Amino acid sequence: MIPGLWDMHVHFGGGDTLISENKNLLPLYIANGVTSVRDCSADISPSVFHWKAEIEKGLLLGPNIFSSGPKIEGKNSIWPGDQEIADETELEMALDSLERVEADFVKITDNALSPELFETAVKRAHQRGFKVSGHIPFGLKATDLSKEGLSTVEHMSYMVKAGSPGETSIIEKVNAKQLDYNAATRELYDSFDSEYALSVYEELKSNNTAVVPTLIGNHIISYIDENDHKGDPELKYIGKGLVKTYDWRVERANKATEKEIIERKKRYEKLTSLIPIIKSSKMDIIAGTDAGFLNSYIYPGFALHDEMKIFVDGGLTPLEALQTSVVNGPKFFGLLDKYGSVEAGKKADLLLLNSNPLLNIEATKDLFALIRAGKILTKAELDLLLEGLAEAKQ
């Protein structure tokens, strides 16, 4: 028996026409033993908050939902549903709105947000008591944002940038238009230094900043020339509208030249090679998948098991990989008094497995039963959930 799994980076979105398909993902998480998810924003936040409330009341079967609500961005963001801000006044208004909807944390990205306003947003959100997650603008350093209160670095690629001794000079070259983004990225990867990276990661740890690697998506796209995923059995559980949102990322990946394919595989290998360094720094690694709309073939529920397997292949023990989900998930929200272990007085979100995941991490897929909020769901009942989802898609 182990605590229920936490996926700490998912998305519900794709517009109002896909609300029902997104709602159908809730039992998909349950059927895979995922009892809590962290929604990192999209464009159907009112529905997500409604589901969250219904689940808490026991009116809807699904995982506990912790949501950022609409994320903070700059004007003319490419992502629908964002709160777009142009200055500090609008930033404060955006944070006010997140307090009103009782967002569980704040998500900030940098598609259209200036580095200066991004850093201010991290600082102000932290001052209000929010946990703060986000991408990192190219013009800023993770260590500087960490000092301002950045709780999590989302995606491992930013950790490569932070681990380059040449980061500052490369940023300056980009600002001076001496390097474009692609050339700068190559220089960052080429100049990465393990010993320097360890010192940076230790500094991030000292500021209580964690990392959510989301490596499964990198793996899928990096090797899509070898596996196009069109025959994946999991597709029968995903709505056609959601599957359609995968196209833009797949089409872009399929345009890669042979040289670019080789390069993206090498970059993926670099990303996974960071796992032992981060482990040595004692930074918290938090399991998240990026599952949901847009992110191609990252199947809700199923993908978390794949992410933990990547962690083990990359250098964590099975126990450490499990802890990235069942311990570090609730730890992010300060909820270890309620979750994270099997003991009296804690929430009854539990997995009963047929074999020991401490010997083989893939045992997390082999469910005997699930206890969700104190109610037992047998393996037969979990299988019926999957069958119902497959039938609903017809």
Side-chain angles (χ1 to χ4, degrees), residues 16 23 79 88 154 156 173 178 234 238 244 276 284 312 317 379 394:
D16 290 348
K23 188 176 183 180
W79 308 115
E88 292 186 26
E154 304 295 322
M156 190 70 104
K173 289 178 183 177
Q178 297 172 359
E234 295 87 354
I238 310 297
K244 183 65 178 173
D284 281 348
V312 171
T317 66
K379 181 62 165 62
Q394 301 302 317

Side-chain angles (χ1 to χ4, degrees), residues 11-282:
H11 294 280
F12 298 103
D16 290 348
T17 60
L18 297 184
I19 287 175
S20 63
E21 290 190 13
N22 277 271
K23 188 176 183 180
N24 284 342
L25 301 179
L26 300 175
L28 193 57
Y29 284 111
I30 293 298
N32 281 279
V34 179
T35 57
S36 298
V37 298
R38 186 180 67 143
D39 167 47
C40 291
S41 90
D43 54 353
I44 58 169
S45 287
S47 293
V48 174
F49 280 110
H50 178 67
W51 302 335
K52 172 184 169 74
E54 286 195 316
I55 290 168
E56 289 174 352
K57 294 175 184 176
L59 302 175
L60 177 66
L61 178 63
N64 300 308
I65 297 175
F66 299 86
S67 181
S68 67
K71 66 184 173 67
I72 295 175
E73 255 290 359
K75 293 295 184 181
N76 301 312
S77 168
I78 63 171
W79 308 115
D82 288 344
Q83 294 196 86
E84 299 183 1
I85 64 171
D87 52 39
E88 292 186 26
T89 299
E90 292 185 353
L91 166 61
E92 297 298 342
M93 293 171 62
L95 293 172
D96 287 344
S97 73
L98 294 176
E99 287 186 343
R100 283 194 298 271
V101 299
E102 298 182 349
D104 297 293
F105 68 106
V106 171
K107 174 84 178 287
I108 311 171
T109 56
D110 63 329
N111 165 251
L113 192 62
S114 71
E116 296 77 16
L117 195 49
F118 186 105
E119 187 167 9
T120 300
V122 171
K123 181 177 182 178
R124 298 285 174 79
H126 176 67
Q127 288 173 341
R128 290 195 186 211
F130 281 112
K131 293 286 187 177
V132 188
S133 74
H135 300 179
I136 297 177
F138 196 90
L140 296 177
K141 300 177 70 170
T143 47
D144 291 336
L145 292 173
S146 178
K147 292 173 186 175
E148 298 294 355
L150 186 69
S151 306
T152 53
V153 176
E154 304 295 322
H155 314 304
M156 190 70 104
S157 57
Y158 297 109
M159 300 296 285
V160 176
K161 177 175 177 287
S164 166
E167 180 183 16
T168 299
S169 64
I170 293 170
I171 289 173
E172 291 172 351
K173 289 178 183 177
V174 170
N175 291 340
K177 301 190 184 307
Q178 297 172 359
L179 284 177
D180 63 19
Y181 176 79
N182 289 332
T185 299
R186 283 192 291 272
E187 284 204 14
L188 287 168
Y189 274 76
D190 291 343
S191 61
F192 180 88
D193 180 83
S194 297
E195 289 187 12
Y196 175 80
L198 177 60
S199 67
V200 170
Y201 301 163
E202 287 173 340
E203 182 177 348
L204 294 175
K205 165 63 179 176
S206 71
N207 293 322
N208 296 313
T209 300
V211 59
V212 186
T214 66
L215 291 169
I216 182 60
N218 295 104
H219 183 273
I220 288 167
I221 292 299
S222 296
Y223 292 89
I224 203 163
D225 60 302
E226 299 179 24
N227 180 4
D228 64 13
H229 294 276
K230 292 179 180 177
D232 286 353
E234 295 87 354
L235 282 171
K236 64 178 174 284
Y237 307 120
I238 310 297
K240 293 178 182 179
L242 286 173
V243 173
K244 183 65 178 173
T245 69
Y246 296 170
D247 287 352
W248 76 283
R249 199 180 294 274
V250 173
E251 290 170 358
R252 184 176 63 180
N254 286 339
K255 291 177 182 177
T257 64
E258 185 174 345
K259 180 180 179 181
E260 289 169 336
I261 290 171
I262 293 171
E263 189 173 81
R264 75 189 182 200
K265 290 178 181 177
K266 287 182 178 178
R267 287 183 181 176
Y268 173 75
E269 291 170 0
K270 170 60 74 175
L271 295 178
T272 58
S273 75
L274 269 56
I275 293 172
I277 306 172
I278 298 172
K279 173 181 173 177
S280 295
S281 76
K282 295 184 168 45

